[in-house]
Each structure stands twice: as structure tokens, then as C-alpha cells.
């Protein structure tokens, strides 16, 4: 569907399925995103998972460049398996 999707970014993906605990956490985050939106607190709480701790302290410009698209919103699906 190139007319509907301009691009796709897969971040921190893996080939194996989540275990029960990981799936429950993912669904909890997705529910929160649907209730509150993906900006604000949810976006800020996601940043540490996207960047290594050393980089966030030494390279604030990297954090800023990641913060913009994260705060702009991400599509979440609570029905994914």
C-alpha cells in the first residue's frame, strides 16, 4: 500500500515472540497510549528504552532528535499478538 504508507521504522524488533510478562507489559503500554495519547509522559518514559544511558548523558542532541518523533506519536496496537 505505497499510497497509504510513506515509510516504516521498526525499532528494537526481534524475531521471537514475547513471553507472557513481555506481552502483558506491551499491552499495558498500548492501552495507556490509547487512553492518553503517545506524547507527554508516555513518550518521555519510552526514551530510556530507546537510547543507552551513556548516550543520553553525553549527547543531549541525540535525545532531542529522538524525542521529536516519539512525542509526535507512534501507532500502537493492543490487539497484536
Amino acid at each position: 500500500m505505497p499510497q497509504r504508507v510513506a515509510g516504516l521504522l521498526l525499532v528494537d524488533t526481534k524475531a521471537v515472540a514475547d513471553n507472557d510478562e513481555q506481552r502483558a507489559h506491551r499491552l499495558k503500554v498500548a492501552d495507556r497510549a490509547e487512553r492518553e495519547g503517545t506524547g507527554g509522559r508516555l513518550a518521555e518514559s519510552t526514551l530510556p528504552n530507546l537510547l543507552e544511558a551513556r548516550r543520553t548523558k553525553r549527547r543531549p542532541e541525540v535525545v532531542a532528535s529522538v524525542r521529536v518523533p516519539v512525542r509526535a506519536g507512534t501507532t500502537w496496537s493492543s490487539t497484536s499478538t
Side-chain angles (χ1 to χ4, degrees), residues 8-64:
L8 175 65
L9 176 64
L10 302 174
V11 178
D12 197 25
T13 61
K14 59 184 181 177
V16 296
D18 290 343
N19 63 33
D20 290 342
E21 183 179 337
Q22 292 165 326
R23 183 175 188 274
H25 176 71
R26 177 172 44 85
L27 294 176
K28 181 180 172 184
V29 171
D31 287 342
R32 182 177 174 193
E34 289 176 348
R35 280 192 323 274
E36 300 175 17
T38 57
R41 290 184 316 145
L42 182 59
E44 292 302 314
S45 68
T46 301
L47 286 173
N49 297 326
L50 300 176
L51 300 167
E52 65 176 326
R54 283 183 322 182
R55 186 162 308 214
T56 59
K57 290 180 176 39
R58 287 190 336 218
R59 305 272 313 272
E61 72 278 8
V62 172
V63 177

